[in-house]
Amino acid sequence: MELLAVVCLCLLTWSGTTFAAENGPDVIKMVVKEGDDAILPCSLSLRENIVQKLFDWRKDGPKEVFLYDDGDQYNNGRTGQDEQFRGRVSHFPDQLQFGNASIVIRNTKVPDSGNYTCDFPRLQPKRRGLIELVVGAAPEPSVMTLDQTKDWALLQCVVKGASPKPQLQWQDSGGNMVPAKDPQVTDRGGSYDIILQTTVTKTDHYRCVATQEEINHQVYAETYVHLNAASPEPYVTILNQTKDWALLQCEVQGASPKPQLQWQDSGGNMVPAKDPQVTDRGGSYDIILQTTVTKTDHYRCVATQEEINHQVHAEILVPGIGNSGADRNIPGSTLLLLWAQLSWFLLVFPVVLV
């Protein structure tokens, strides 16, 4: 259904305008992304039945794209089609009666870009249609931080295999252009590899924007840079403890960017905690996270700063939960020995009840 809709759109758009006399045909420009199908329109203005006619599609002059001659065509055994288009080009048989000689090129590739002609060589006067096809490859940029200190960061944006040649630009979170070095451009026969580097001196989200005006395409990739980062280790302590529970506290001071704190047991399982107490000191954060535990174990407080890909933890042992007194500390073997001694004593020295 989608293909039919596209075909109908092309017919409505181009019917009656594709052809002109050989002394001055109009040129129709079409733009598609690599991998998409391209429908090249070609039709007689009088909607003459061409089932028994001959029409010939060529690219850049000599390359045979598609030829139809009274039902005989490349897809049913006819030879002569250029290898580049073999198995990828077809026409619309049910539209021939309406004078429609349009073709579709499937799974377009960048080398398919060029000038196409649609000829009816046996008609008088001769008719020719001209199509300029632009097939664009639009890969997404790849961004990374090449080097960083507490005061600056060197960012790099890379685009590979783009066609037509894109314009790259670094921008901050407000969409303002960030000055960059001259781009490094490698031309691989109409396909371009481009590297653009910039040095930034403030914490922000930065994006590299790749624009290809010829195919009306724009794409970007984003990265976050945090300068003057501080990653202090957490400090953990036992605030209070009974035989049944212990109140633990984790504290981080002066962290930037803001970390996420989490309590975990020795198995790495998250331990439920109270809401964190957060103090913002102008982009530097003091955070306290408390939890109550009810079993003896090693517990750790994990501080994670995703923006700078940093994680650190501190650990503490909570002993003695579940022991109510000295009797609970007596081993079972000792209790058995004491009972045996008491039984012997009662046998030797019976107690007389009066």
Side-chain angles (χ1 to χ4, degrees):
M1 292 301 292
E2 291 182 1
L3 177 59
L4 179 59
V6 174
V7 173
C8 292
L9 175 61
C10 286
L11 294 178
L12 290 172
T13 303
W14 302 116
S15 180
T17 63
T18 300
F19 281 103
E22 276 196 281
N23 60 356
D26 296 329
V27 179
I28 298 171
K29 185 173 182 178
M30 301 190 63
V31 178
V32 298
K33 288 176 60 178
E34 186 175 40
D36 289 348
D37 296 344
I39 297 178
L40 306 190
C42 177
S43 59
L44 295 180
S45 58
L46 299 178
R47 296 172 62 86
E48 180 182 349
N49 189 325
I50 58 173
V51 172
Q52 296 179 332
K53 304 293 185 181
L54 180 148
F55 60 87
D56 186 20
W57 279 92
R58 292 175 180 261
K59 176 182 182 291
D60 298 329
K63 282 191 176 183
E64 273 288 350
V65 179
F66 186 84
L67 186 143
Y68 175 91
D69 187 4
D70 191 13
D72 186 20
Q73 42 101 3
Y74 291 133
N75 292 330
N76 63 9
R78 187 184 184 95
T79 60
Q81 186 178 34
D82 191 278
E83 185 66 30
Q84 176 181 344
F85 299 100
R86 189 162 299 171
R88 294 197 298 127
V89 183
S90 60
H91 69 310
F92 302 96
D94 59 338
Q95 295 295 317
L96 296 177
Q97 59 182 316
F98 305 115
N100 180 14
S102 302
I103 59 172
V104 54
I105 303 176
R106 304 193 183 282
N107 189 26
T108 55
K109 308 178 188 302
V110 171
D112 293 337
S113 297
N115 296 311
Y116 291 77
T117 59
C118 172
D119 281 305
F120 279 78
R122 295 176 184 169
L123 290 182
Q124 293 299 329
K126 293 182 179 180
R127 292 290 185 265
R128 165 172 287 186
L130 297 183
I131 307 289
E132 180 187 356
L133 178 63
V134 178
V135 181
E140 290 189 6
S142 172
V143 297
M144 65 180 301
T145 302
L146 291 182
D147 194 12
Q148 183 171 351
T149 70
K150 65 182 181 65
D151 299 316
W152 54 264
L154 176 60
L155 309 182
Q156 177 170 285
C157 174
V158 178
V159 172
K160 290 187 176 182
S163 179
K165 179 181 175 182
Q167 297 296 319
L168 301 191
Q169 184 183 86
W170 278 102
Q171 298 177 357
D172 61 20
S173 60
N176 304 301
M177 185 187 73
V178 177
K181 301 179 181 180
D182 291 336
Q184 306 169 41
V185 182
T186 304
D187 184 351
R188 303 186 184 279
S191 178
Y192 295 88
D193 297 345
I194 305 179
I195 298 174
L196 186 66
Q197 296 179 348
T198 186
T199 299
V200 297
T201 57
K202 67 176 184 178
T203 296
D204 202 352
H205 287 87
Y206 294 91
R207 62 174 56 179
C208 175
V209 183
T211 304
Q212 294 165 293
E213 292 185 354
E214 296 90 332
I215 61 174
N216 194 31
H217 185 266
Q218 187 176 86
V219 66
Y220 69 88
E222 192 169 270
T223 187
Y224 179 74
V225 176
H226 191 96
L227 301 177
N228 298 312
S231 305
E233 291 190 5
Y235 173 73
V236 295
T237 184
I238 301 175
L239 291 183
N240 195 7
Q241 183 172 359
T242 71
K243 65 182 180 64
D244 298 316
W245 54 264
L247 176 61
L248 311 183
Q249 178 171 287
C250 173
E251 185 174 3
V252 172
Q253 292 187 342
S256 179
K258 180 182 175 181
Q260 297 295 321
L261 301 191
Q262 184 183 84
W263 278 103
Q264 297 177 357
D265 62 19
S266 59
N269 304 301
M270 184 187 73
V271 177
K274 302 178 181 179
D275 290 337
Q277 306 170 38
V278 181
T279 303
D280 184 352
R281 303 187 184 279
S284 178
Y285 296 87
D286 297 346
I287 304 178
I288 295 175
L289 185 66
Q290 295 180 348
T291 186
T292 300
V293 297
T294 57
K295 67 176 182 178
T296 295
D297 201 354
H298 286 85
Y299 295 91
R300 62 172 56 181
C301 177
V302 182
T304 304
Q305 294 165 294
E306 292 185 353
E307 296 91 334
I308 59 174
N309 193 31
H310 185 267
Q311 186 176 87
V312 66
H313 73 271
E315 194 168 290
I316 191 170
L317 171 65
V318 178
I321 294 179
N323 295 330
S324 60
D327 58 329
R328 296 196 179 189
N329 292 320
I330 301 175
S333 58
T334 302
L335 290 174
L336 290 174
L337 179 60
L338 291 174
W339 176 251
Q341 292 175 343
L342 178 59
S343 300
W344 178 83
F345 180 82
L346 292 174
L347 288 173
V348 176
F349 303 102
V351 178
V352 178
L353 299 177
V354 180

